[in-house]
Amino acid sequence: MRATLRQRFGEGGLHADGRPMTMSRAIGMLVWLAFILVPVLDAVTTPAPTIQHALAIAGAVLFSSIYVWLVIIWFDERRHRRPYALTVALLALAVALTLADHPSWGFLFTYVAACAGLVVPSGYGMLAVLACAVVGAGATAAGGGTASNIIGDAAATIGVGLLLVLMRDLRVRNEELCEARAELARTAVAAERERFARDLHDLLGHTLSVIALKAELAGRLVAERPAQAAVEIGEVEQVARQALGEVRDAVSGYRKPTLEDELTGARMALSAAGIEADVERAPVALHPDAEAVLAWAVREGATNVIRHSGARRCRVIVSASDGLAAVEVVDNGSRNGRPRAVSGGLSNGGSAGHGIAGLTERAERVHGQVHAGRLPEGAGFRLSVSVPVGAHA
């Protein structure tokens, strides 16, 4: 008991809802012991050397001790059935004192009802309190109590018991609210991590491929055509700076690519990879969220063609009809065997699938659709993304 008290009060114990249980809060829970201790002290100071008198004193002291114990362990999350057993013990002592000593002990049922209201689940707390009131009224009547004693003790038992039922219900609701807040925080963190990982994949997968290809091309040209090699190196620097800005946008959460920029970037990247690029765009006004999805589709499609297809020709088509805008990226690669090599350790592992999955998530947010697969007879690969022109996330 001493160790438990030190843990609860001396070492900053906690309520079940996570708030510190200070000494003042504990005193507030235990102040009602004065109503028990007063009659106990009165009995001790009254000379009546009988066994019944001694047993009444011992019973009152034991009742007080169990009440203190119950108040302390009520804050312990590891409690199981012990609080129920202690509440039953309090009820038994209250009945015994009221019947065997004096009906004035009927006020103890108020404490029993209070403990029952704290311990019993809220759905049954009211019934437990009413049961305590009925048992108390019966014990007081059987012990010879007057009608005013019976009614007064029963009313106090019900009132205090229902108040504690309400307090327990508020505590449980507070715990549930804290758990819900924690879960929302965990969900928000997980969603932000997924967004950041998806943006980094989509941004850096494409940009690093372009940088690697242009650096490789500059390396081949530097000996024979240094002027053109210098142009390629300048473009590498430009792409690298653009990538730095895009990563900063991704970190801040405001990255929304435009279709025009991504078509220009795709044409440049495909050309650097030695792939003939044919870009067709129909004029269409798009909501920024819908345009961003199609822009990501262009980037993802071009990146996959460069890294995985082994193609020599690629068509990027932007079309619009019946309130829908679409992007198609079609190549004539086989996707069998080794993909086009690029420097920097880029490979055709699972990243392409991850990119398509991220693109699908983006499209679904604006009620769009993604289709990807081989063309008939292995004549190439097709990626198609369609979204409503006015759709927004």
Side-chain angles (χ1 to χ4, degrees):
M1 176 72 73
R2 182 178 300 173
T4 304
L5 286 170
R6 183 170 59 253
Q7 179 183 4
R8 293 298 172 201
F9 309 130
E11 300 177 2
L14 298 178
H15 284 285
D17 59 8
R19 295 173 298 165
M21 183 180 178
T22 61
M23 182 63 74
S24 60
R25 297 180 68 86
I27 292 175
M29 294 294 297
L30 301 176
V31 68
W32 299 100
L33 284 174
F35 292 96
I36 304 176
L37 297 179
V38 169
V40 171
L41 293 176
D42 182 64
V44 170
T45 56
T46 300
T50 63
I51 295 179
Q52 178 181 345
H53 185 68
L55 290 176
I57 295 174
V61 172
L62 181 59
F63 186 97
S64 302
S65 301
I66 293 176
Y67 176 79
V68 173
W69 189 10
L70 183 57
V71 168
I72 292 173
I73 69 171
W74 181 67
F75 296 102
D76 190 351
E77 292 295 336
R78 295 170 295 179
R79 68 189 187 277
H80 296 292
R81 298 181 180 178
R82 187 178 300 174
Y84 293 95
L86 294 178
T87 303
V88 173
L90 289 179
L91 180 62
L93 284 172
V95 171
L97 287 170
T98 304
L99 292 177
D101 186 56
H102 197 278
S104 61
W105 288 108
F107 76 94
L108 294 179
F109 289 97
T110 303
Y111 291 82
V112 179
C115 293
L118 289 176
V119 171
V120 179
S122 300
Y124 303 97
M126 184 176 295
L127 295 178
V129 169
L130 293 177
C132 291
V134 171
V135 173
T140 302
T146 63
S148 60
N149 293 139
I150 297 173
I151 295 174
D153 289 344
T157 298
I158 294 174
V160 173
L162 294 183
L163 176 63
L164 270 295
V165 169
L166 177 60
M167 289 179 59
R168 185 188 191 281
D169 187 66
L170 290 175
R171 173 179 174 270
V172 171
R173 295 293 181 269
N174 188 55
E175 289 178 356
E176 293 174 350
L177 179 60
C178 291
E179 292 175 359
R181 287 177 175 173
E183 182 62 29
L184 287 175
R186 287 191 294 268
T187 302
V189 170
E192 182 62 13
R193 285 176 177 171
E194 291 178 1
R195 181 199 68 80
F196 189 59
R198 182 179 63 245
D199 285 0
L200 283 183
H201 170 272
D202 294 343
L203 289 169
L204 296 184
H206 174 80
T207 306
L208 292 179
S209 296
V210 175
I211 292 174
L213 287 167
K214 285 191 166 292
E216 186 178 349
L217 179 59
R220 292 198 303 266
L221 295 174
V222 68
E224 300 178 359
R225 288 181 284 179
Q228 187 174 350
V231 172
E232 296 295 335
I233 292 173
E235 291 185 357
V236 167
E237 180 183 0
Q238 179 184 353
V239 173
R241 292 184 182 278
Q242 178 185 352
L244 180 60
E246 289 174 344
V247 170
R248 288 172 177 168
D249 289 340
V251 171
S252 62
Y254 296 114
R255 170 63 181 164
K256 278 191 178 180
T258 63
L259 194 54
E260 188 64 36
D261 289 343
E262 294 304 324
L263 288 172
T264 301
R267 185 185 290 108
M268 180 177 63
L270 291 168
S271 177
I275 301 174
E276 181 183 349
D278 183 9
V279 178
E280 302 177 13
R281 181 183 179 183
V284 56
L286 296 168
H287 188 279
D289 290 342
E291 181 179 4
V293 172
L294 296 184
W296 284 117
V298 171
R299 174 173 288 225
E300 179 64 24
T303 301
N304 287 342
V305 171
I306 293 170
R307 296 175 63 184
H308 308 304
S309 70
R312 294 299 174 185
R313 188 170 185 272
C314 175
R315 296 182 64 199
V316 181
I317 305 170
V318 180
S319 60
S321 63
D322 300 328
L324 292 176
V327 163
E328 285 188 344
V329 181
V330 184
D331 65 71
N332 65 348
S334 63
R335 274 178 170 76
N336 295 323
R338 188 173 183 178
R340 182 176 303 275
V342 291
S343 305
L346 300 176
S347 66
N348 72 333
S351 61
H354 178 77
I356 294 296
L359 183 60
T360 302
E361 291 177 5
R362 296 179 192 274
E364 288 177 347
R365 290 195 184 98
V366 294
H367 310 290
Q369 294 183 338
V370 176
H371 300 282
R374 298 181 186 276
L375 295 176
E377 300 179 357
F381 192 87
R382 174 177 173 268
L383 170 66
S384 174
V385 179
S386 61
V387 297
V389 293
H392 56 88

